[in-house]
Each structure stands twice: as structure tokens, then as C-alpha cells.
Amino acid sequence: MLALAPGRAPAASTTSPRPALVVLIVVDQMRPDYFDRFGPQFTGGLARLRRTGAFFSHGRQDHAVTQTAPGHATILSGRPPASNGIVTNDDGVGDPAFPVIGVPDGPGASPRAFRGSALYDWMLARDSSATVLSVSRKDRGAILPVGRARGDVYWFAAGGFTTSRYYTDSLPRWVQAFNARGGVGRLAGTRWTLLRPDSAYAERDSLAFEAGGRDATFPHTIPTRLDSLAARLELYPWMDSLTLDLALEGVRRLGLGRRDRPDLLVVSLSATDEVGHEWGPDSREMHDQLLRLDHWLGWFLDSLAVVIPRERTIIALTADHGAQSAPAYVTQVLHQPAGRQWLGDYADQGRARFDRRYRRSFGFRFEYGLLMADAAQLRALGVDVDSLSEAWAAEARRRTGVARVYTPRSLGRAPASDVYAERWRRTIPPGTGWLFAAVPIAGVIWSRTGLANHGTPLEQDVAVPILFAGAGIRPGRYARPVVVEDIAATLAALIGVRPTERITGRPLPEVVSP
């Protein structure tokens, strides 16, 4: 898991120069400014992709609920949540009909909530033998980029990589063998120390608000008990190393990239997200995490080139969302206003006022700015839903830290120049029952507890890097705004496939030659 395996790619093929493998790398919660903040210290895969690729520094997950599930669902579908149906994490992949192998008491997982098609479906429409491998620490990170298609899709649960019965009834032998190596156990009792000398890090390492004040400074001791380690491994950089190792093993075992037509590899790396939530997006831990990620991506790309020539590989890198700085960091270090807000009490009011009265559930819930309910059912019982929506929205606007609140009526009337209204329109699918959609002021996160979060339509949350690298792609840095839906359209154009439905993404001319 920790070894370096640099290798020289085979000579370029003169008979079959067409792409053999499309690789999507999603770094969960990676902000584009990290390339500038830490770029001078990158020497591995992030440095190589930035140097040899087309880098769009103003990429956007251009929707309002910037969470993992909607972010991953958007990247390869070429369509926003309003079209693909994945609005929040809770709408993502949970499915009791398909238990997770080895975790029979878990919630189950599948992509059945996903609507429409994605890049892999378009590839299958042209070539039914195309193969996909998707791996992640998170189930939603592995499942949603592939859409509803079945393939080799694996995520980390209960101390090893697994999948659900949506995809197969038993783990293939190569995944079982990978888990049996005991890579997780080798970390037990070790310590997360700084990769570079202390002087290489500008961030303070004595901020008591990090990690709830329990484990705020380096070094961080990794649990010795395997059950504790398996539960907390997601907090440490080595989770990414393990995920990349499984991806490489899968490429070899499944024979990806060995044909005249391309296969698809999706690798979603989640440690950056966990580090951001635990220690903050501006922490020394985040700095070290990204240095290690850069190192491991370099190993991964070198090792992949041993199997598949670089000139036959197309790589796209992005993030499922960005992140706001932790409010405690903003107030105590930057000495600027910040805070948190949560409007979940309106869902509580709805349940108390209507569910109890009518003895049924109307689905009241608040998720990252959106208050949802079965409006059609309420209307059928004589409730004036528009008046209720307007009254609650007026109250919510008076809450500390709330900038705007839209109702279904006001959102429909908002001009296209209203950026936040546009992001909410791109988020809510037609037919969804909802009462209001809110936007916090800058510096405020949707959260009841915890250090840091994302999930708003504010700029720090929607901002993501978008990068393409591969043969024929000219290196360059581009400042014009682009959206993640453009990734699917661009990759499709590069490999010569067409979307099987209408998408909102467009091929980027800086990447795709006329």
C-alpha cells in the first residue's frame, strides 16, 4: 500500500493511437485554490497533471446543495441535480432492497434514485463490451458517477472493500484477495506525522477548536485495535492510498485499457473531505493530506502507465464540491465574521402541526437550505401551501446569517441574473414538494454541530478544479468559468461517443480540437 512503483510507459503505439482508458479522479472537498497555495510543494501526480494538462481554475458545481451525492451524480451525467434526481446525500444511494455484501445489517445501496444516463451508458451504446471500474471510500462516490449501469463498483465498509447485491451476489476473488492482504492492519498503532519538516507548513498547529479539541496537533496516533481503526481510517491520508491501490489492482485484474475501444475507470478519493470536516479546510492537516495525495497520485499514474501507455489514457480530475473555511477559524484566526445556522426547526413544526393532526407523514425535512414536504398531499387536505410557504420564508429571512429565502413562487419569478436562484433552479427536480430554499450569508455554514461544512450555493462551496490531461490535450490554465457538466460532454467528445439524451454540459474547446 505504501510502496512506490515508478515505471516507464511502453513506447507509443503507432497502429492504435486511440484512447484505451478514460480515468476520472474525484478528490472529495478539494478547493481549486489549493493548487496555488500548495502547488509549489507538489512534486507528484497533482504537479504532473497541472503541468501537462488543461487546468480550469474557475470550475463550478453549479447547483445549490453542494454535497457528495449530487456532486458525484453530476460529473459524468452532464446534467445538474434537477435532471439526474440526486438533490442531497439523503437522496443518494441508500436502498434496503440491495444489502451490502458482508454488511447484512447495513442500509443497503444502489443507484436506483439516479435518473437518466451517464458517460458509461453512452460508451455501452457504442460498444457493449466496454468495462467500468469505480472505487471509493464512500458508497455514493463509487456508485453515482456510473449511473444505473451495472459494473465493477466497490467501496469501503466494515474494514474492507465491498459492493452491494445490486451489482453481484458475491465479491470477486481478486477483491477478496485484496482485502486479505491486511493493508489496513499494517497501519494499526502507527502515527500520522508531517511528511515534510515543520518549517514547510505555514499553518498553526495549536488550534484547540480542531477535531473537537481531542486530537488537534501532530502527530496523530492511529488506533491499535482493528475495529477502531476500520471505523476511523477515513480520517487519515492512507485511505486514499488504499483506494488507489485497489483501483490499480482492478485495472490489472479486469484488463481495462487492453482493447481498441476505451474503458472507464473512476477513482473517488475521500480523505480530503474527512480531514476538512475534522480539522478544517485551512489546517496543517489539510496541507499535509494534499502533499501525501500528490505523492500517491504520482505513484498511481506511474504504475498505471506500466499497464496502459500514457498516450492512450485520458485523465479528468475534479471535486464533488468545495468547502467554506471553518467559522471558528474565520473568527479566531482571520478575525472576520462567520457562524452557523440550521433551519430544521421548520421541519419539526411541520411534523408537529400536520403529521400529528392528520396522522400521516408529509415528509417534512430540512436539508442544506431546502425545506421539503409533500405539498400536493397537503393541498389535497385543504392546506393553503402557498401561504404557509410565504409565512415560513418571511420568518426564515429574519434569522441571523440568512441572506435569501425563495418560495416556489418567488423562485419562478427570479431573474436569470440572480445566481443563487439559478443554482436552486438547477437543483430542484420538477414535481418535488418543497416550501422554501434558503441561502446563508458569506461565512455562514449550514450546520448544527461540527467544525466545518459545505452544502451551500456560496462560492467557496461550489468552486472546484477541473483538469484534463492526455495525448493531444494542450497544457494551459484557463480562468473562464466552466461547470462540471462540461466534463462528461468533453470526455464523450474526446472518445467519440454521443450522449443518449439531452445534457446541459458542453465540450470545452480548450480541450477538444475542432
Side-chain angles (χ1 to χ4, degrees), residues 247-456:
L248 186 63
E249 181 70 7
V251 168
R252 293 167 174 158
R253 296 286 186 171
L254 299 174
L256 266 69
R258 309 292 178 84
R259 309 175 311 115
D260 287 339
R261 290 185 174 179
D263 296 317
L264 175 63
L265 172 64
V266 178
V267 185
S268 176
L269 303 169
S270 303
T272 302
D273 184 63
E274 301 300 337
V275 170
H277 284 295
E278 188 78 358
W279 289 281
D282 303 283
S283 62
R284 178 171 291 198
E285 284 78 5
M286 179 62 77
H287 187 162
D288 197 69
Q289 151 63 16
L290 291 169
L291 293 180
R292 291 178 181 275
L293 175 62
D294 169 65
H295 176 73
W296 284 323
L297 275 176
W299 158 79
F300 172 76
L301 295 175
D302 283 340
S303 300
L304 187 65
V306 173
V307 183
I308 304 163
R310 294 188 196 276
E311 62 270 17
R312 299 202 63 202
T313 303
I314 295 173
I315 298 171
L317 181 144
T318 190
D320 54 350
H321 52 75
Q324 291 195 73
S325 296
Y329 175 85
V330 176
T331 57
Q332 297 181 33
V333 178
L334 301 181
H335 305 293
Q336 298 174 3
R340 63 183 73 245
Q341 179 58 269
W342 191 255
L343 304 177
D345 58 298
Y346 288 103
D348 297 335
Q349 290 183 44
R351 286 188 289 268
R353 183 172 170 182
F354 298 102
D355 290 15
R356 293 178 186 175
R357 176 181 176 184
Y358 294 102
R359 297 184 180 181
R360 66 178 69 181
S361 173
F362 293 95
F364 284 96
R365 64 186 176 109
F366 176 78
E367 289 289 334
Y368 290 81
L370 187 63
L371 179 65
M372 290 172 275
D374 190 336
Q377 190 178 170
L378 287 167
R379 283 194 178 94
L381 292 171
V383 177
D384 189 337
V385 175
D386 293 329
S387 294
L388 178 67
S389 174
E390 293 292 346
W392 278 353
E395 290 181 11
R397 290 187 190 101
R398 294 192 290 269
R399 295 284 187 93
T400 301
V402 175
R404 303 185 187 188
V405 184
Y406 303 97
T407 65
R409 283 182 173 178
S410 65
L411 186 64
R413 295 193 299 261
S417 58
D418 186 335
V419 173
Y420 298 128
E422 281 292 289
R423 286 175 183 160
W424 273 117
R425 283 193 281 255
R426 292 164 57 82
T427 298
I428 305 172
T432 300
W434 63 284
L435 299 177
F436 69 64
V439 180
I441 65 174
V444 171
I445 63 174
W446 294 130
S447 177
R448 286 170 290 197
T449 60
L451 174 66
N453 208 351
H454 46 82
T456 79

Side-chain angles (χ1 to χ4, degrees), residues 109-132:
S110 85
R112 290 205 297 179
F114 180 89
R115 302 176 186 174
S117 63
L119 177 65
Y120 183 54
D121 296 296
W122 313 338
M123 295 169 67
L124 287 173
R126 177 181 175 182
D127 175 16
S128 61
S129 63
T131 301
V132 64

